[in-house]
Amino acid sequence: MQFGIFSVGDVTTDPTTGRTPTEHERIKAMVAIALKAEEVGLDVFATGEHHNPPFVPSSPTTMLGYIAARTERLILSTATTLITTNDPVKIAEDFAMLQHLADGRVDLMLGRGNTGPVYPWFGQDIRNGIPLALENYALLHKLWREDVVDWEGRFRTPLQGFTSTPRPLDGVPPFVWHGSIRSPEIAEQAAYYGDGFFANNIFWPKEHFMRLIHLYRQRYAHYGHGTPEQAVVGLGGQVFMRKNSQDAVREFRPYFDVAPVYGHGPSLEEFMAETPLTVGSPQQVIDRTLEFRQYFGDYQRQLFLMDHAGLPLKTVLEQLDILGEEVVPVLRKEFAKDRPAEVPDGPTHASRVPAVTA
């Protein structure tokens, strides 16, 4: 199991102080959070991609390249790379370059994002969202695996005798997760290529993601990549912790009430009852997270959202201390119990090199 955090990079006013961080402060805070993640023993840091306020991470590879230079072990990923509005040629080049700079500690999660207007900003039509996702990834997949590419599709100019540079490190492309909140077509796409499937697992009840993950596992086996249990699954999650659950609820409530996306909606208690959000003691977070295996089967990566809704950096770093010292060690031990031998570990560059070069 790999454990880590993912950030949407929102710039949100702290409701308890009325202070809004600058973009510069928020960007630097994300770097500090990534460094803290490695310090406390987490495996993964992932950043979103957004091109509109109140979010700052418009250039994930720039940020991850900077973090790569300051870390040694952390896997650097995206929480969304917009496969629909980025040119797949540029994705191929940018992430291969990052892969070399980070000595292979790179993967990425492809998605369509949560901002409809991003499509016309980059010259696309939102009505083509799914077709764009399918076609652009077909090209990206090809660019990383063929030295010379001839290609023609619906949404971009043809390629003739094109070579994407640099080539993937050791001939092994970055591992790809296909992220989804709601789309069975993306689960199918992940299964077809034998890639990973990452379920957002934040906004919806567990039954919704159980259906998507079950579909992915069944189709993964259908395409001959292995058994359903060998499919590579990642999950999101969202937590806020204090020693006493009452203190956690009291402290987090004002942030929840104004949080982007779900603020000004259901109560904190309603949201915790209907989604995986856990606000309470470290033991409550452990117990809730261990339940995920009952619903989704054994899986490979668990990421937590911890730095949003205006939470100050000091508080987020405290949360990471609790996560790294009290929660993740227990989760590692418990998830390892009775884990079938055929269930694969979380993907790393080092583990994938022998399979490609054999």
Side-chain angles (χ1 to χ4, degrees):
M1 281 283 288
Q2 296 169 344
F3 295 92
I5 53 175
F6 65 133
S7 175
V8 295
D10 60 304
V11 178
T12 303
T13 300
D14 184 332
T16 67
T17 65
R19 186 180 185 280
T20 306
T22 65
E23 290 182 324
H24 177 77
E25 289 172 329
R26 185 67 173 103
I27 291 168
K28 290 291 190 177
M30 291 178 69
V31 173
I33 289 164
L35 300 183
K36 185 70 169 181
E38 176 160 283
E39 176 190 323
V40 301
L42 301 184
D43 305 303
V44 184
F45 172 80
T47 174
E49 178 188 346
H50 297 276
H51 299 276
N52 57 293
F55 305 100
V56 294
S58 59
S59 182
T61 53
T62 304
M63 174 174 284
L64 295 178
Y66 181 77
I67 294 170
R70 302 186 63 186
T71 55
E72 297 180 356
R73 186 184 53 80
L74 201 63
I75 296 173
L76 307 171
S77 185
T78 53
T80 305
T81 294
L82 300 178
I83 187 62
T84 46
T85 50
N86 281 305
D87 183 353
V89 172
K90 197 68 170 73
I91 295 176
E93 294 174 338
D94 284 350
F95 280 90
M97 177 67 77
L98 177 60
Q99 191 189 34
H100 282 272
L101 292 172
D103 296 321
R105 294 183 290 121
V106 172
D107 55 37
L108 68 160
M109 186 190 308
L110 300 179
R112 291 180 291 143
N114 61 4
T115 306
V118 73
Y119 285 84
W121 295 340
F122 289 88
Q124 300 294 348
D125 187 332
I126 193 173
R127 292 171 293 186
N128 295 326
I130 292 292
L132 275 164
L134 300 179
E135 180 177 298
N136 282 354
Y137 182 60
L139 175 54
L140 175 61
H141 190 271
K142 190 179 184 73
L143 288 166
W144 273 338
R145 289 164 175 82
E146 298 181 16
D147 290 340
V148 180
V149 171
D150 294 311
W151 182 88
E152 185 171 352
R154 174 183 171 192
F155 296 109
R156 79 176 312 282
T157 53
L159 297 173
Q160 294 181 345
F162 179 78
T163 300
S164 172
T165 60
R167 304 304 298 148
L169 179 64
D170 300 317
V172 180
F175 187 81
V176 171
W177 303 83
H178 299 261
S180 180
I181 296 176
R182 62 189 178 275
S183 303
E185 296 92 340
I186 302 305
E188 174 76 14
Q189 182 184 39
Y192 176 80
Y193 288 101
D195 295 335
F197 179 69
F198 191 92
N200 169 276
N201 199 39
I202 287 180
F203 301 121
W204 292 47
K206 63 181 181 299
E207 291 79 9
H208 171 76
F209 292 110
M210 287 170 66
R211 289 191 291 270
L212 283 176
I213 291 171
H214 177 75
L215 171 64
Y216 161 67
R217 289 187 183 278
Q218 295 302 312
R219 299 300 288 171
Y220 182 95
H222 168 80
Y223 287 116
H225 301 298
T227 67
E229 294 74 25
Q230 291 174 317
V232 183
V233 174
L235 295 176
Q238 187 176 357
V239 300
F240 186 87
M241 298 169 286
R242 289 302 182 201
K243 181 178 180 180
N244 299 310
S245 59
Q246 298 91 335
D247 292 337
V249 169
R250 182 170 56 253
E251 185 176 348
F252 188 67
R253 187 182 300 279
Y255 296 98
F256 173 88
D257 288 344
V258 300
V261 181
Y262 55 67
H264 311 285
S267 70
L268 176 57
E269 287 74 14
E270 290 171 331
F271 204 81
M272 284 196 291
E274 295 296 327
T275 78
L277 171 65
T278 306
V279 180
S281 68
Q283 188 60 51
Q284 286 175 298
V285 170
I286 290 169
D287 293 342
R288 189 79 179 276
T289 305
L290 289 175
E291 289 179 356
F292 293 169
R293 181 161 62 174
Q294 300 175 27
Y295 310 136
F296 308 117
D298 285 288
Y299 60 109
Q300 283 70 32
R301 180 174 290 185
Q302 175 66 59
L303 301 184
F304 296 101
L305 175 63
M306 306 190 78
D307 72 322
H308 70 127
L311 286 167
L313 176 60
K314 177 178 181 293
T315 300
V316 176
L317 298 181
E318 291 169 351
Q319 293 292 304
L320 289 174
D321 277 328
I322 299 171
L323 188 69
E325 294 171 8
E326 301 183 43
V327 174
V328 165
V330 178
L331 291 177
R332 289 193 197 279
K333 180 180 178 182
E334 294 300 317
F335 273 118
K337 288 182 179 178
D338 303 319
R339 188 178 178 94
E342 66 270 19
V343 173
D345 293 332
T348 65
H349 182 77
S351 69
R352 297 172 62 234
V353 168
V356 172
T357 58

